[in-house]
Every structure is written in structure tokens, then in C-alpha cells.
Amino acid sequence: MKNLKSAIWRCLAVALLAVLATEPALAHHAMGGKTPATLMQGLLSGIAHPIIGIDHLAFVIAVGLAGALAGAPLLVPAAFIVGTLAGAGLHLASVALPATELVISASVLLIGVVVMLRKALALPMLAGLVALAGLFHGFAYAEAIFGAETTPLAAYLLGFAATQFAIAAGAALLTGRLAASATDIANAPRLAGAMVAGVGVALLAEKLTAIVFPGVS
């Protein structure tokens, strides 16, 4: 059983590395950049958005791992979901947030480091940080649905909230169960955190390069 669980963690680590190392071809838009016009289009776009965006996916997975470290595998993901919904609402209300992409990249790096170092932050602090980061992630999410009618808009919000919670809570619960039952896989969350931090470094470097050298593609 221990060998099986160890193999499962290795497979998950390899899969995570493959996903996070691959730049999604759809560039965060399941509808190819078009605004969803129907309930089904809105739902599918909302479900796909957190998966096809490397920055968002990395952060959502790490939220679950951080939640497991803090002993709150459901509360921490829920705090992030609330933040993303609030951020999406700000965008839809035409309220601007500063340096959104830069903050998102920095948040990926920060939470990756927290998980990598197995730093169990106080629950109120962790929940507040992921909720704050969620404002910026949600603000970016809303770009894909901005200007849509009420029905596809509501379906989109439901889809991306449900997908994020399923990924984060699933990662948290799996981490808690496996880490508690097998010592040979105790470092797997640390490895995942390092991968997420690496993604954050790459994204942050890309954003800073674009700011410092705007003519460089």
C-alpha cells in the first residue's frame, strides 16, 4: 500500500510538472477570445478558464496544498473562491486594480515558496492572503466574460468557482490523506511547491522584462 501511494504521488508530481511547464495554447480563453453568448458556452468557459491558464492553475493547486498545511483543506480554498468572485465583480463593475498580471505572477511565486518551505501560516493570515490574491486572479478571469449577458455570465462564474474549489480542495484532501499515512511521500507537497514557485519566477521575470524592456517580445 505504501508503495502504491508513493507511486501515486510520483505520478501526480510528474503530471503537475508537465502541466505547469507547458504554455497553454488557448491563452486563458476557452472560447478562443469570443465572449460566451449562451448558458452552455458560459459554463464551459468558466470550467476551462482555471485549467488552461498556467498562472491560475499553479496558484489554485498551491492554495490546496497550503490549506492542507494549515489544517484547513476546505476553508482556505473557499477563501480564495470568495476573493476571485469579488475580483470578478470589480472587473465587471469597471473598477480597476493596479498591476494585475504582475501581482498574479508574484502571488504564484509567494504561495509556491510557502508550500515549498512547509510554512504553516496562521489560518487568518493565510486565508486573508489567498483571498487578496483571489481579487487579482478573479479580476483577470472576468476579462473573458466582460460584456456578456446575464445568463452566460452567471454560468461562467459558477463554472470557474466550482472548478477552482474542486481542484484546490481535492489537492488539499489528497495531500492530507497521503502525507499522514506514508512517510516516504512526505516531501511530495514540498516538490509541488517548488514547481509552483518556479512557475512564479518564470512568470514574474516575463512580466518585469516586458515592463523594463517593452520592445522585447
Side-chain angles (χ1 to χ4, degrees):
M1 180 63 69
K2 180 179 292 187
N3 290 336
L4 174 60
K5 291 177 179 178
S6 180
I8 291 173
W9 258 114
R10 292 191 185 100
C11 289
L12 287 174
V14 171
L16 177 61
L17 180 60
V19 170
L20 298 183
T22 303
E23 182 68 22
L26 296 180
H28 293 36
H29 292 280
M31 303 306 298
K34 297 180 180 179
T35 302
T38 67
L39 183 148
M40 186 56 64
Q41 288 180 356
L43 183 62
L44 291 176
S45 183
I47 291 172
H49 197 146
I51 299 173
I52 63 179
I54 187 171
D55 45 2
H56 301 307
L57 178 59
F59 194 89
V60 171
I61 293 172
V63 163
L65 299 178
L69 289 175
L74 298 181
L75 179 58
V76 173
F80 176 63
I81 303 307
V82 170
T84 59
L85 290 172
L90 290 177
H91 193 144
L92 296 172
S94 299
V95 177
L97 289 179
T100 304
E101 292 298 327
L102 196 61
V103 172
I104 289 174
S105 299
S107 73
V108 175
L109 171 58
L110 178 60
I111 198 166
V113 170
V114 168
V115 174
M116 179 177 65
L117 298 179
R118 300 184 68 85
K119 181 68 174 178
L121 300 178
L123 184 56
M125 177 182 295
L126 178 61
L129 287 175
V130 299
L132 179 61
L135 284 177
F136 291 85
H137 284 261
F139 188 89
Y141 282 134
E143 182 63 31
I145 198 67
F146 191 82
E149 298 295 330
T150 302
T151 297
L153 172 60
Y156 177 85
L157 295 176
L158 175 63
F160 92 73
T163 299
Q164 290 178 111
F165 187 78
I167 293 172
L173 294 173
L174 182 61
T175 298
R177 291 189 63 178
L178 295 184
S181 59
T183 57
D184 62 335
I185 57 174
N187 287 325
R190 189 189 300 271
L191 175 60
M195 294 176 186
V196 172
V199 171
V201 169
L203 292 172
L204 192 57
E206 178 185 354
K207 303 305 178 185
L208 291 174
T209 299
I211 294 173
V212 177
F213 305 104
V216 177
S217 57

